[in-house]
Amino acid sequence: MQRVRAEFRELASKWGKLRTIKSAFQVEGFEPGPEVVGDGQRRSLFDTYANVIDWSDAEQVHRVLRVFEEILSWGADVDDQNRVPMLAKLKHVLQQDGYTIDENDSIRPVSGMPLTRLPLAELRDSTTIEEHLRRLDSTGDADPALAISSAKSLVEATCKHVLEELDTSYDDRSDLPVLVRSVQKALKIHPDVIAPTAKGRKAIIRTLSNLSQIVDGLAELRNEYGPDHGRTRSTTGIGPRHAHLAVGASQTFCRFLLETLRDRRRSES
């Protein structure tokens, strides 16, 4: 991302201040490296942070893209005559590395699985869920095993957040199936708590049971193919289609939980 880095270095020097450049990197957890002297204070400060970033590390690149989005926001008041050609040039260099700038001035991968918008407004703090979504977005088709593992983490985080919103305690070390059952009961969508007189009870129970089995299967898939646990052998036999299945299932389940939380609150208000 050498050219992308160079473009944002220039933007930081034009639109930023020493304190805002420092803050943008530190908010994302970056620490400065050896002091760089020369070529202007703002450029030098940018390089002090950028020089120690591991640009081959997907997680660090993901965080530095958020720094770049912050730098981009500093130019929001630039007149269109200058901003339009600037954005066109940025899009060009970003596209060479597989990224683009969307209508909200967010940097997104050009290809791979799109970032699904989940209804997060009901959560007091959705930061971790957004991080999992961004990780899935940045992984795309490049690493199916990592995508499967991230999909499981998304479900775990969503279950925990919903339980916290409902003031329901849980064991942070619980396996995913246990968390799923806990959140279903808390939301009153577990088969065991469906009223005997509910219309279409059998169909509802069957659908909810199948949904739970899908998530259980996601946990098993992650255990079989996920890149965790210090594997000594590479994973084979999975491709983007398997990752799409896992990610799609996780997002469908999370959406259902969050929309159920929203509807429960509306019905109680």
Side-chain angles (χ1 to χ4, degrees), residues 9 15 30 45 56 90 105 176 188 223 228 245 268-269:
R9 179 178 184 263
W15 298 339
F30 292 112
L45 181 60
S56 65
L90 276 177
D105 285 351
L176 181 58
K188 297 181 173 57
N223 291 338
D228 313 290
L245 174 64
E268 294 170 357
S269 61

Side-chain angles (χ1 to χ4, degrees), residues 91-161:
K91 285 183 178 180
H92 176 69
V93 296
L94 279 165
Q95 196 161 30
Q96 291 181 324
D97 285 316
Y99 295 90
T100 190
I101 302 174
D102 66 16
E103 66 278 5
N104 299 314
D105 285 351
S106 295
I107 301 173
R108 301 284 184 236
V110 173
S111 60
M113 295 168 288
L115 175 64
T116 295
R117 302 293 181 185
L118 292 178
L120 302 176
E122 295 299 320
L123 302 180
R124 284 167 285 189
D125 182 4
S126 60
T127 304
T128 55
I129 293 178
E130 291 171 355
E131 288 176 354
H132 288 306
L133 286 170
R134 288 180 180 274
R135 190 171 296 113
L136 284 170
D137 195 23
S138 62
T139 301
D141 296 344
D143 192 339
L146 180 58
I148 289 170
S149 182
S150 297
K152 174 180 176 286
S153 296
L154 172 64
V155 175
E156 287 179 326
T158 303
C159 287
K160 292 176 180 179
H161 273 291

